[in-house]
Amino acid sequence: LPISGIESLTVNSTGTASSIGSVVWGGAGLTVTGDANLTIGSTLAATATNIDASTFSGKLSVIAGAVGAGASAAVADITVQGGTGNDTLNVAAVGATRELAVNGGDGDDNITIGAVLAGATAVTLGDVLVGGDGIDTLTYTSGGFGGLTAGAGTLTTGVSGFESIAVSNPLANTIALAAIQAGISDVKLVGASNGGAITGPAGSLTV
């Protein structure tokens, strides 16, 4: 779906579920409205820095691109807001030097990241990942979660609202759930050789 010369594009998904191969419009803003499930198959362009599905009640699946740096370290380089459905929000292509602001909204959402997170400082916003209401999952690689563990919570000051993590490749690292976020009680592993370790909270842990 190539469109040019538009700064902000609204996609209204109603009726039956829709799947779009790609959406290219050249601007920064993408607003998704309606109530029918929507899958955008291809990675969005790097210019798409504001994805807003806050009023959308269907399931949204979207993959953000490798966005550039914003004008200020006090403002997120990319903002993604889910709606009330079970959304799949993938920001794995966003680099480590870019600041994320991702909120799953309501529903049982899955947020996938791909680079080391950064905590907030006196002059930078840091990465903010909010699962929202529902049973939400943060997906990352074994090495990525291991790096967050090594950060002992200093890299994940903006992470909240997740009940579960999913390790996207075979577990080969030690992952301390408390270094990611308090309250995580479920870990999903891929069906392959897993040689690492999970350190969970006191009480029950589902793996």
Side-chain angles (χ1 to χ4, degrees):
L1 183 62
I3 303 170
S4 61
I6 297 175
E7 180 59 27
S8 183
L9 175 69
T10 296
V11 176
N12 185 31
S13 180
T14 60
T16 59
S18 300
S19 181
I20 302 174
S22 64
V23 180
V24 180
W25 71 101
L30 173 64
T31 301
V32 179
T33 61
D35 56 8
N37 298 348
L38 176 65
T39 297
I40 301 175
S42 297
T43 302
L44 296 179
T47 52
T49 57
N50 188 356
I51 302 165
D52 182 6
S54 57
T55 66
F56 183 55
S57 59
K59 299 178 182 179
L60 173 65
S61 178
V62 65
I63 306 170
V67 302
S72 169
V75 178
D77 297 308
I78 180 169
T79 299
V80 183
Q81 173 65 56
T84 60
N86 300 336
D87 300 319
T88 301
L89 310 175
N90 189 323
V91 292
V94 178
T97 58
R98 306 294 183 251
E99 292 178 305
L100 300 166
V102 184
N103 190 317
D106 296 339
D108 300 337
D109 307 306
N110 189 305
I111 296 174
T112 299
I113 59 175
V116 174
L117 297 178
T121 71
V123 295
T124 62
L125 178 68
D127 295 308
V128 178
L129 304 176
V130 180
D133 291 336
I135 301 173
D136 304 302
T137 301
L138 179 64
T139 299
Y140 201 9
T141 63
S142 173
F145 278 127
L148 298 182
T149 294
T154 62
L155 306 177
T156 55
T157 57
V159 177
S160 65
F162 292 92
E163 290 72 33
S164 173
I165 67 166
V167 184
S168 60
N169 61 332
L171 179 65
N173 303 82
T174 296
I175 299 176
L177 299 182
I180 302 168
Q181 179 211 282
I184 294 174
S185 58
D186 179 82
V187 177
K188 299 177 177 67
L189 302 176
V190 296
S193 175
N194 292 293
I198 302 290
T199 303
S204 63
L205 175 66
T206 301
V207 179

